[in-house]
Structures are given as structure tokens and as C-alpha cells.
DNA sequence: ATTGCCGGGTG
DNA sequence: CACCCGGCAAT
């Protein structure tokens, strides 16, 4: 591929026009006296600036893009000047990053692997006549039509405001939080992935997925004999968390032995602490599949159980069979609704704008009175006589069903 | 529209 | 009691 002369010229002029003050300042600094140079702008400095700016930037451009067609002057500069090249390039980036139109992303050397969406199609492109860094045309990216949301210009602005480009916060860290990066990127070797059991009142944390799966299988799902067999059900009940090794001990102590005040279930990604790390593929898929797949009755009921937990307006049915922790769920739907209000927090209790736990408790307790007083037992989700036997076999129904009462044969 | 079942009725 | 059903709410 050859580059027509006009294109090179284009690059030249464009760059020299756009190159902003940093270049000047840079060279001015080199001249020794920044202020003097800046104000006086002696012709020497000016010339120096112009010439070097052009050649250096051209050099950068050429090095990156073209190889043989454009005669890159093989004459190497002095090491000092080479350094200047780098600095200059950095300056260009800096200046461009603060431009209102295009913001250069944080440079993350480690992420060249798997050109994932995170890079959002951002590649240095000097083939464009402008010679700027630019967002590549979508055509060579996986996402054809729209820039992938996680790294849209907006989200960029969100974590890096023009007025305050950098206030000392680690950018990688920030973007991690904001973008929920699923990629196990070892930024620091102190990061460690742990797995936390989401079962209510458990919160056990293990270091291996297998471990947590086995834990859930045996402890919560009660599949003792088949401890090596996994149908994926366990995945539903644990989540991945990332911890700083430095704070792992802390994390473990705070996570594992059940924040006892948590009267609420582990209901998926509720826990505030883990929230940012969870939305990875695992959670997403696990949230979807188990509910949609046809499952053995056992699993089905377990899910149902969780469904109750996840839904605030509910007095929990007294299912002893599937209650992971029997005692904490001793409320029976047969007992008068009043017992529910007997919980030592008044429905009107003030909101201290406090922890997630308090918020959760509040959510449950302050839900509409109608529900809180449990006038109606949440309808069972299991199959009932009517469904099972059909209207035509009404005589096979349990009496309760025949009487249009709560089914006694297929209790939830 | 279908289903689960509460509340209330009848004998 | 046993039995039935109107009607509401959830699906």
C-alpha cells in the first residue's frame, strides 16, 4: 500500500496545526526558561518548536503505520531526543485526552490480550488523514452498529470529568468499579478470587469454585451421596468475589460467619459489598437458566424458595422441607399474621439511612400493610391437584382442593 | 384466561 | 363439622 504524497502532507499540516501548547511548552522548557520562552517566543524557539514538532510527530506516525513506503529518516536521534519523542507522544495523548471530542482511554498495557469490548475498538489509527487517535470504524470490531456500551464516550466522561481528569485515583481501579469488568485481570498480584456462598445465613467463603460448589451441594442442597456430581445448581448460590490479599483475612472474618443481623436471605446479588464484582457472566447466566430450565421438583422448589426470599411483599411460607436454616424461618403461614409484626422492629421505624442490612429489613417490614399483615398466603407455585389431575379427575383431588382450599397434597 | 385459595355460606 | 362456591389476586 502506498501513501500518496498529499496524504503525508495532510498529516504534516494537520498535526502542526493541532499540536497544542504542550509541545511548545515542552520545548520551551528545554530551552531553559519556560516563562521567558513562552512570553517572548523568540524566533529560535519558535522555529525549533515547529520543526521538531513536525518531524517528531511524523516520525511517530510513520513508525507506527508505514514501514517501507515512506522514507523514514534512518538517522537516529540522540538518546535524549529519543526520550523527547516519547514524551512528545505522551504529550500529544495528554492534550488529546482533554479535547472535548475524543478522550483517550487510560493506557492499560496488560490488556492487549483478548481484544475484548473493553477496549471498545479504540486503536491508534494514523491512516486517517487527520492523524489523530480515533475510534475505529465499527466494521473491524465485533460490535457492528453501536459502540459497546461499557466504554461509550458517555461512560468515559462519567469516570473522568474534563475538569478533573485525574485526582489521584487509580484509573484501572475506577474503571473496574464502574464497568464491572468481568475479566480476571491481575492488576496487582495481591488480588485474589474467592467464592462466597449466597445461601442465607451462610456466607461461607472458599477459595475454589469446586470447594464452594461442594459446600453448597452437601450443606445446602443436601446432596451428600453425589458430592461429585454437579448439575450446575450450586452455581446459582455462590458468587465470585475479588479480594485484596492484604485484606483477605479481614474479608474472611467479615464475610464468612454470617452477618448475623441479616435477617434477609442472600437473595442473589443483594449484598452491597459483592455487588460490583458479581455481574459477570456467571451471575447473569445463572440467574437466567435455572428459572427457565425444566428442573427436577427438588430444584424447582428450592428456586421457589429463593423466589420468595427475593420478593419483599411476602410472608415466608413455613416450608420446613426446603428451608436451609430451619429455625430462622419458623414463621408458619398457618400462624396468625400478627406474629409477623412481632418482629422487634416497628414498621414505622425511622430510617437511619444506614447499612444495606437495615435497608433490607426495612424493605421487608415496611412493605404495604396489606402484605405485611399477610392477609393472604402467597399462592403456591407447585403443581396442585387441579393442575395435576385436571378438572375431569376432580375426585382424585385432595379434599382441600376439592373445597377450593389450600392444597394439602402438594404443599409448597 | 387460568389458577390458587380465602372468606363465607349451607346443611 | 363436611362441603360448596363467589370472588379476589396472582399468574
Amino acid at each position: 500500500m502506498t501513501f500518496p504524497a498529499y496524504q503525508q502532507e495532510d498529516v504534516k499540516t494537520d498535526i502542526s496545526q493541532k499540536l497544542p501548547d504542550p509541545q511548545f511548552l515542552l520545548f520551551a522548557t528545554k530551552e531553559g526558561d519556560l516563562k521567558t520562552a513562552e512570553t517572548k517566543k523568540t524566533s529560535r524557539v519558535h522555529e525549533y518548536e515547529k520543526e521538531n514538532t513536525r518531524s517528531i510527530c511524523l516520525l511517530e506516525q510513520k513508525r507506527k503505520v508505514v514501514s517501507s513506503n515512506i522514507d523514514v529518516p534512518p538517522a537516529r536521534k540522540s538518546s535524549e531526543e529519543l526520550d523527547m519523542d516519547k514524551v512528545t507522544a505522551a504529550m500529544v495523548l495528554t492534550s488529546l485526552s482533554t479535547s472535548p471530542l475524543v478522550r483517550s482511554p487510560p493506557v492499560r498495557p496488560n490488556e492487549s490480550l483478548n481484544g475484548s469490548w473493553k477496549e471498545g475498538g479504540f486503536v491508534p489509527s494514523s491512516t486517517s488523514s487527520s492523524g489523530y487517535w480515533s475510534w475505529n470504524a465499527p466494521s473491524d470490531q465485533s460490535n457492528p452498529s453501536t459502540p459497546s456500551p461499557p466504554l461509550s464516550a458517555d461512560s468515559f466522561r462519567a469516570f473522568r470529568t474534563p475538569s478533573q481528569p485525574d485526582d489521584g485515583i487509580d484509573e484501572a481501579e475506577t474503571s473496574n468499579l464502574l464497568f464491572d469488568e468481568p475479566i480476571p485481570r491481575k492488576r496487582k498480584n495481591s488480588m485474589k478470587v474467592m467464592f462466597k456462598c449466597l445461601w442465607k445465613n451462610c456466607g461461607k467463603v472458599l477459595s475454589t469454585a469446586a470447594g464452594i460448589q461442594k459446600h453448597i451441594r452437601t450443606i445446602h442442597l443436601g446432596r451428600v451421596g453425589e458430592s461429585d456430581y454437579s448439575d450446575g445448581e450450586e452455581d446459582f448460590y455462590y458468587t465470585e468475589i475479588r479480594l485484596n490479599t492484604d485484606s483477605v483475612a479481614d474479608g474472611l472474618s467479615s464475610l464468612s460467619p454470617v452477618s448475623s443481623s441479616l435477617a434477609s436471605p442472600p437473595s442473589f446479588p443483594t449484598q452491597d459489598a459483592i455487588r460490583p464484582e458479581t455481574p459477570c457472566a456467571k451471575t447473569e447466566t445463572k440467574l437466567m437458566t435455572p428459572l427457565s430450565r425444566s428442573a427436577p421438583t427438588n430444584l424447582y422448589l428450592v428456586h421457589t424458595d429463593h423466589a420468595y426470599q427475593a420478593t419483599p411483599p411476602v410472608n415466608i411460607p413455613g416450608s420446613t422441607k426446603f428451608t436451609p436454616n430451619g429455625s430462622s424461618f419458623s414463621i408458619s403461614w398457618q400462624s396468625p399474621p400478627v406474629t409477623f409484626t412481632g418482629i422487634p422492629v416497628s414498621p414505622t421505624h425511622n430510617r437511619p439511612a444506614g447499612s444495606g442490612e437495615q435497608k433490607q429489613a426495612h424493605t421487608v417490614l415496611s412493605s404495604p400493610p396489606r402484605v405485611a399483615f399477610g392477609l393472604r398466603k402467597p399462592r403456591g407455585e407447585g403443581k396442585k391437584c387441579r393442575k395435576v389431575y385436571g378438572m375431569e379427575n376432580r375426585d382424585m383431588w385432595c379434599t382441600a382442593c376439592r373445597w377450593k382450599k389450600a392444597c394439602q397434597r402438594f404443599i409448597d
Side-chain angles (χ1 to χ4, degrees):
Chain A
M1 183 174 180
T2 58
F3 287 79
Y6 74 86
Q7 202 172 343
Q8 300 176 32
E9 197 50 42
D10 244 18
V11 176
K12 262 190 195 172
T13 46
D14 251 319
I15 288 181
S16 59
Q17 283 169 1
K18 297 287 183 175
L19 272 178
D21 285 346
Q23 257 60 38
F24 170 72
L25 296 180
L26 188 64
F27 290 101
T29 307
K30 193 181 177 183
E31 280 298 301
D33 186 342
L34 173 66
K35 285 181 179 174
T36 308
E38 190 176 3
T39 48
K40 289 184 180 175
K41 283 196 177 180
T42 65
S43 61
R44 185 163 168 264
V45 172
H46 207 68
E47 280 309 305
Y48 191 92
E49 171 210 350
K50 276 164 79 178
E51 282 307 307
N52 282 278
T53 295
R54 291 185 187 182
S55 54
I56 285 173
C57 289
L58 266 180
L59 249 183
E60 282 298 319
Q61 298 294 324
K62 289 173 183 173
R63 265 194 224 132
K64 284 177 183 168
V65 190
V66 200
S67 50
S68 56
N69 282 328
I70 299 179
D71 59 327
V72 182
R76 310 306 304 160
K77 304 183 168 190
S78 70
S79 61
E80 183 189 346
E81 280 171 331
L82 275 181
D83 282 348
M84 289 303 288
D85 282 2
K86 292 174 186 173
V87 177
T88 306
M91 295 298 283
V92 172
L93 282 180
T94 306
S95 66
L96 287 177
S97 75
T98 53
S99 126
L101 285 181
V102 178
R103 220 154 252 123
S104 88
V107 180
R108 300 184 200 157
N110 290 339
E111 289 185 357
S112 50
L113 316 167
N114 67 13
S116 70
W117 49 265
K118 277 184 291 111
E119 295 301 327
F122 186 91
V123 288
S125 161
S126 38
T127 55
S128 66
S129 61
S130 72
Y132 290 140
W133 296 70
S134 63
W135 297 90
N136 244 14
S139 57
D140 54 352
Q141 293 296 321
S142 53
N143 193 345
S145 55
T146 54
S148 32
L151 208 66
S152 68
D154 279 341
S155 35
F156 241 117
R157 239 164 266 133
F159 92 101
R160 179 178 219 181
T161 58
S163 58
Q164 241 182 347
D166 184 4
D167 48 358
I169 297 175
D170 184 340
E171 283 188 352
E173 201 67 43
T174 313
S175 60
N176 242 334
L177 289 174
L178 281 165
F179 297 152
D180 296 340
E181 292 188 22
I183 306 260
R185 183 164 49 91
K186 285 199 171 181
R187 209 186 100 256
K188 295 174 182 174
N189 47 8
S190 60
M191 284 307 253
K192 186 168 185 178
V193 176
M194 303 292 279
F195 299 89
K196 184 189 180 190
C197 176
L198 290 179
W199 204 270
K200 82 167 134 279
N201 291 340
C202 179
K204 190 176 180 65
V205 175
L206 293 177
S207 57
T208 64
I212 199 70
Q213 286 175 5
K214 187 168 184 179
H215 158 81
I216 291 169
R217 257 198 321 274
T218 56
I219 304 294
H220 300 310
L221 298 180
R223 304 181 190 173
V224 186
E226 42 187 339
S227 58
D228 279 329
Y229 167 74
S230 163
D231 59 2
E233 171 71 8
E234 317 82 55
D235 297 349
F236 196 32
Y237 298 114
Y238 72 88
T239 188
E240 212 180 44
I241 58 179
R242 270 162 249 256
L243 298 174
N244 258 336
T245 317
D246 327 318
S247 53
V248 159
D250 291 343
L252 282 180
S253 62
S254 66
L255 285 176
S256 61
V258 179
S259 34
S260 53
S261 59
L262 250 190
S264 52
S267 64
F268 326 127
T270 38
Q271 264 66 9
D272 21 58
I274 356 165
R275 182 61 164 154
E277 283 100 331
T278 41
C280 54
K282 171 178 287 297
T283 311
E284 285 172 10
T285 52
K286 300 307 174 187
L287 272 179
M288 292 168 54
T289 51
L291 294 177
S292 55
R293 75 181 176 208
S294 67
T297 310
N298 190 9
L299 293 185
Y300 180 74
L301 287 175
V302 171
H303 285 306
T304 312
D305 199 21
H306 272 260
Y308 278 129
Q309 296 166 21
T311 318
V314 142
N315 43 355
I316 294 93
S319 158
T320 52
K321 187 173 177 183
F322 297 110
T323 314
N325 195 343
S327 59
S328 66
F329 266 66
S330 57
I331 299 179
S332 160
W333 53 266
Q334 286 166 347
S335 54
V338 195
T339 51
F340 201 70
T341 63
I343 287 181
V345 183
S346 82
T348 55
H349 101 124
N350 55 343
R351 349 184 151 190
S355 67
E357 311 172 9
Q358 284 167 316
K359 260 186 245 161
Q360 279 213 339
H362 181 80
T363 316
V364 171
L365 292 173
S366 68
S367 39
R370 183 180 63 79
V371 179
F373 279 71
L375 287 182
R376 211 179 179 107
K377 166 195 172 197
R379 80 183 306 164
E381 293 199 28
K383 291 213 184 308
K384 294 294 180 320
C385 295
R386 179 180 177 129
K387 264 271 187 70
V388 172
Y389 303 111
M391 286 297 284
E392 59 276 14
N393 295 317
R394 201 161 183 257
D395 49 333
M396 294 176 69
W397 296 8
C398 69
T399 46
C401 277
R402 259 185 279 124
W403 298 345
K404 288 172 104 178
K405 300 291 183 192
C407 179
Q408 291 171 336
R409 184 170 299 167
F410 305 101
I411 305 174
D412 299 310

